[in-house]
Amino acid sequence: MKKLYSLLEKLYEKKVDATGLAIFRIAFYSVFLCEVIQIYYYRHLLFDKIPYLVPADVDFSSGLLAWMFAIVCVIIGFKTRTAALISYLFSIVFIATMKTYEYHMHYVYMGIGFLMIFLDSGKIYSVDRIIEKLKYSNSRYTYTPLKDVSVLNYYIPVLLGIGFVYFDSVFHKFASQIWLKGLGMWLPSSLPQTTHFDATSILNLKWLSIFLGYLTLAFELIFLFTFYRKKWRVPLLIIGIGLHVGIFLVYPIPWFGLGMICLYLLMIPFNFWWCIGRKIKLKNPRITVFYDEECPLCCRTKIIVSSIDFLNAVRFEGLQSSGFENKALKDIDRNDLLLNIYSLTPSGKIYKGIDTYRKIFLNIPVLLLPGLSLFIPGIYHAGRYFYNRIATNRYVERCTEENCGYTPPPVPKVNSDLIKVARNLTLGQLKTRSIYIGLAILFLLQLNVTYNSQLINDLKSKISFKDSVAEKIIQKFSYPIGKFSKRFLGITPHDVFTDGHFDGYNHIIGIQAEDKNTGELLWLPIIRESGHVGRYLYSFVWAKWSFRVNSPEVNQEVLENGIRDFTAFWSKKNNRHPEEFVFHVLVKKIDTPVKWEKDFLKKQKAKPWMDVGTAEWKENIFEINIPVIEEL
């Protein structure tokens, strides 16, 4: 234990550049934002008792919008920790309480969302950094905050978001005949209802399909024990990103594929970002801006623009230092140079006032849209008006820190980790001990979940422990602990694409709407005519339809309620009333593969559809007449 604590202490004290962590923050929460936007779009399907017809007791629209705002604040790094906390609390309200729409990316959001409250992800590429710069800078001095963070900021999210997931997953996969036969990648990719892309050209390469299946097994088996080793990091990174690019392309779970790729960004060597930064930065600026060095507002403008100018496209030159001597400005009155902001392009063209700002915006990618908007006549003239008012006011009240009596606050120099919180305890030591205890708790919670995995359960059955008194006592504690870890930390079983998902799954259910007035037939965007998933079935909606509404063993009541909800939702989204249609329930009988087979996916897509029944809405009452699917 002492060795583990000593290792953790060394890792905590090891400082690395925060660039990769900031890029992860921006990328991961951008994916998260897309997920929440999708939740907002489908909110009536998720939360209404019957979509649009019998609304939920609470309108969740405002809460979802507030959640999006918190996520945007994390992305831009404004009040980063507070915004991460608010986002996490919203996740508990919306994600952790989902029962029939949950899917595995939701657990990743919960775990990473919890960690983001504590990570130093706002050190760079953030509004927080700009605010800190402004706080301790003045016209005489520009403060540059440190951008180093403990390497644990990189390791711990990978540990929880990838390592724990794979560790638990192998305890299910090694009890799955699909994976033990090497079909773990091939089989789900060969079923129309689990894919949105026909990858037959790859699936027909038997050696490649089997290799990818066993590669995934081996990869997940060793990841937890090797990801922190320098020599292993790049190979694991390449394999991991490659596998999840494949998931993104083939399966209708784009946010899962992209979100996991974001986590792998934390494994990219630190000097990679430094090399990328050097390559994207311009050798020569695209515009030189001349500013009044004795004007606090001008100096702060310089700090803000420079902080988001990742390309080094804009160079600031002080008028007092050298700008007045610039030959290109010799014909401009000195007072006018101080009153207005001037800029110069390499070709020698001079811009003034709002035109300078427009030129600055156009050369900084994150400000491109505001720059383009300044070409719109009304917006341009309003911008020029406000600029002139500010510039004129600045000239009248123009001052230096000396004659305004402004004294800048002292620049922070003390390493907070060295602050004593007790006689023999520093703040850094307290943090290290807290991290150590926290990681120990996370490991125990993961072991509790894995204890109930398929492989362990099979072993318990073999030794006749499954039905023992001791096991029943253990489960009294294990079940509620597992429920807690799933809801608040995303630590949950990861039995993804194992035998239970596919054994006996020999049917696809689609819905076709017949317009009562015109007789026109429309496929609901749930399942396409080919059998592949439609545009509705992505992420949590796909999990709902493919494995809850429909499943290997169909629950007739759940199926009928699912058809009710999806038909009501689709009708209202198309500004129609569901009573205007007769909904035909179609079934395509498919095969359940037990071994690799060439062109298997194409053969399933070619299977005919059977019209097995109809559903209608009459005075907002849903009526359906379909046979028991399993008996067809």
Side-chain angles (χ1 to χ4, degrees):
M1 299 295 285
K2 288 184 178 180
K3 288 184 178 179
L4 286 174
Y5 180 78
S6 178
L7 175 61
L8 184 67
E9 201 169 30
K10 289 179 181 178
L11 291 175
Y12 176 77
E13 293 173 355
K14 182 180 179 182
K15 303 298 181 182
V16 296
D17 186 89
T19 299
L21 183 63
I23 291 172
F24 160 73
R25 182 198 81 232
I26 295 167
F28 184 84
Y29 272 82
S30 294
V31 172
F32 196 2
L33 179 62
C34 292
E35 185 92 48
V36 178
I37 290 172
Q38 187 177 357
I39 291 174
Y40 183 83
Y41 181 84
Y42 289 101
R43 64 191 183 279
H44 292 286
L45 182 63
L46 270 70
F47 305 119
D48 286 1
K49 296 171 184 177
I50 298 177
Y52 293 102
L53 301 178
V54 183
D57 295 330
V58 178
D59 185 357
F60 294 102
S61 300
S62 298
L64 289 169
L65 291 172
W67 189 10
M68 291 183 215
F69 178 76
I71 292 174
V72 170
C73 287
V74 178
I75 293 172
I76 66 176
F78 177 66
K79 302 291 184 182
T80 312
R81 291 184 191 275
T82 303
L85 172 61
I86 294 171
S87 174
Y88 174 70
L89 294 175
F90 275 118
S91 299
I92 293 174
V93 172
F94 289 106
I95 289 180
T97 56
M98 284 188 187
K99 297 188 182 301
T100 62
Y101 284 90
E102 63 176 347
Y103 82 122
H104 277 75
M105 192 58 198
H106 285 171
Y107 314 138
V108 179
Y109 293 137
M110 294 306 304
I112 299 302
F114 175 76
L115 290 181
M116 285 294 293
I117 301 170
F118 307 99
L119 298 180
D120 292 322
S121 63
K123 283 267 189 174
I124 193 171
Y125 301 152
S126 65
V127 175
D128 288 344
R129 182 178 177 85
I130 297 174
I131 291 173
E132 188 177 2
K133 277 186 176 182
L134 295 173
K135 182 178 180 181
Y136 296 107
S137 298
N138 56 61
S139 60
R140 296 288 184 265
Y141 170 76
T142 299
Y143 171 64
T144 303
L146 295 175
K147 61 176 184 176
D148 292 339
V149 297
S150 167
V151 75
L152 289 175
N153 284 270
Y154 287 83
Y155 287 167
I156 294 178
V158 174
L159 174 70
L160 182 63
I162 304 178
F164 281 5
V165 171
Y166 291 165
F167 175 77
D168 184 78
S169 179
V170 296
F171 281 86
H172 295 278
K173 287 183 170 67
F174 275 92
S176 166
Q177 291 301 309
I178 293 173
W179 286 94
L180 292 177
K181 291 178 182 179
L183 302 178
M185 296 291 287
W186 176 82
L187 191 151
S189 304
S190 298
L191 296 173
Q193 74 271 28
T194 59
T195 57
H196 64 161
F197 175 75
D198 190 329
T200 296
S201 58
I202 296 174
L203 300 174
N204 280 346
L205 299 173
K206 182 178 181 180
W207 67 269
L208 181 58
S209 298
I210 303 298
F211 169 74
L212 289 174
Y214 284 127
L215 175 65
T216 302
L217 264 182
F219 176 71
E220 292 188 353
L221 181 64
I222 67 172
F223 185 90
L224 181 63
F225 310 101
T226 54
F227 79 89
Y228 54 87
R229 298 177 183 271
K230 192 173 183 179
K231 292 182 180 179
W232 287 81
R233 199 173 302 149
V234 173
L236 292 175
L237 172 68
I238 294 171
I239 294 171
I241 289 181
L243 291 175
H244 285 91
V245 166
I247 288 172
F248 173 77
L249 293 175
V250 175
Y251 304 115
I253 42 176
W255 314 134
F256 176 80
L258 292 175
M260 294 300 287
I261 289 171
C262 292
L263 279 168
Y264 279 103
L265 295 178
L266 293 170
M267 294 177 62
I268 293 177
F270 306 119
N271 61 356
F272 172 83
W273 301 115
W274 180 77
C275 293
I276 291 294
R278 284 190 61 190
K279 288 186 178 296
I280 65 172
K281 287 181 179 178
L282 302 172
K283 293 182 179 179
N284 298 308
R286 293 174 179 167
I287 182 173
T288 299
V289 177
F290 301 93
Y291 74 102
D292 181 353
E293 294 173 88
E294 295 180 349
C295 168
L297 176 61
C298 302
C299 294
R300 282 154 176 73
T301 301
K302 173 197 168 187
I303 290 172
I304 294 171
V305 172
S306 298
S307 296
I308 57 178
D309 180 20
F310 308 127
L311 302 179
N312 278 2
V314 180
R315 182 169 69 91
F316 283 87
E317 186 173 330
L319 287 168
Q320 287 84 350
S321 296
S322 58
F324 287 136
E325 283 72 41
N326 192 295
K327 293 181 180 179
L329 306 179
K330 64 180 180 179
D331 295 330
I332 302 175
D333 181 74
R334 177 182 287 250
N335 288 331
D336 193 41
L337 285 173
L338 292 171
L339 175 63
N340 288 291
I341 187 168
Y342 278 83
S343 60
L344 180 67
T345 65
S347 63
K349 191 169 183 178
I350 296 174
Y351 292 90
K352 172 185 175 182
I354 193 65
D355 294 317
T356 284
Y357 278 102
R358 182 167 66 182
K359 192 68 176 176
I360 291 172
F361 293 171
L362 292 174
N363 282 284
I364 298 178
V366 296
L367 298 177
L368 181 60
L369 286 179
L372 293 174
S373 69
L374 285 174
F375 282 98
I376 300 173
I379 296 177
Y380 174 81
H381 290 90
R384 186 171 64 180
Y385 170 78
F386 285 112
Y387 167 79
N388 289 334
R389 288 291 301 270
I390 293 171
T392 304
N393 185 63
R394 177 187 62 82
Y395 177 77
V396 172
E397 298 181 359
R398 183 170 165 267
C399 61
T400 65
E401 273 75 7
E402 287 90 350
N403 61 35
C404 282
Y406 172 75
T407 302
V411 175
K413 295 180 180 179
V414 178
N415 182 352
S416 61
D417 286 343
L418 301 178
I419 297 173
K420 287 275 190 178
V421 294
R423 181 175 297 178
N424 297 313
L425 183 68
T426 64
L427 183 58
Q429 291 170 330
L430 178 62
K431 289 180 180 178
T432 306
R433 293 180 187 182
S434 300
I435 294 170
Y436 183 76
I437 294 171
L439 287 176
I441 293 172
L442 292 178
F443 270 111
L444 290 174
L445 292 174
Q446 181 59 64
L447 289 175
N448 174 67
V449 168
T450 303
Y451 174 76
N452 294 300
S453 64
Q454 188 61 52
L455 186 64
I456 300 298
N457 282 334
D458 289 348
L459 179 61
K460 286 187 285 188
S461 296
K462 285 183 180 180
I463 63 175
S464 301
F465 186 73
K466 183 77 172 173
D467 298 319
S468 67
V469 175
E471 172 68 357
K472 290 178 181 178
I473 294 173
I474 291 172
Q475 289 302 326
K476 284 184 179 179
F477 296 96
S478 179
Y479 176 75
I481 291 172
K483 191 175 181 180
F484 168 85
S485 67
K486 174 183 178 179
R487 175 166 292 185
F488 296 101
L489 299 171
I491 298 176
T492 186
H494 290 278
D495 51 337
V496 182
F497 285 171
T498 53
D499 297 18
H501 288 86
F502 304 109
D503 285 349
Y505 206 153
N506 58 2
H507 54 272
I508 304 173
I509 299 175
I511 308 293
Q512 203 173 40
E514 180 183 356
D515 191 312
K516 291 181 179 179
N517 295 321
T518 65
E520 181 184 10
L521 292 173
L522 302 169
W523 280 87
L524 268 65
I526 302 168
I527 295 291
R528 287 180 275 163
E529 191 170 0
S530 64
H532 284 299
V533 301
R535 62 181 175 85
Y536 274 10
L537 296 196
Y538 281 87
S539 304
F540 53 87
V541 187
W542 171 71
K544 167 71 173 180
W545 180 266
S546 299
F547 296 104
R548 279 103 194 203
V549 173
N550 191 15
S551 61
E553 296 181 6
V554 178
N555 181 310
Q556 197 73 5
E557 182 181 357
V558 172
L559 173 62
E560 292 177 2
N561 288 340
I563 294 172
R564 176 199 66 191
D565 292 345
F566 275 86
T567 54
F569 180 80
W570 173 82
S571 300
K572 289 295 183 178
K573 277 295 182 185
N574 286 274
N575 298 317
R576 304 284 295 273
H577 196 281
E579 293 183 8
E580 299 177 38
F581 301 96
V582 174
F583 296 96
H584 296 269
V585 181
L586 307 176
V587 174
K588 181 194 287 277
K589 297 293 287 185
I590 60 172
D591 301 321
T592 302
V594 294
K595 61 180 181 179
W596 181 89
E597 184 179 330
K598 186 176 181 181
D599 286 330
F600 183 85
L601 177 57
K602 285 191 173 182
K603 292 175 184 176
Q604 308 318 304
K605 291 168 63 175
K607 301 270 187 181
W609 286 100
M610 299 182 294
D611 192 335
V612 300
T614 59
E616 289 188 72
W617 288 86
K618 296 179 180 179
E619 297 181 357
N620 288 345
I621 302 298
F622 183 71
E623 298 179 358
I624 186 167
N625 180 25
I626 59 173
V628 177
I629 300 299
E630 292 180 344
E631 296 179 356
L632 290 175

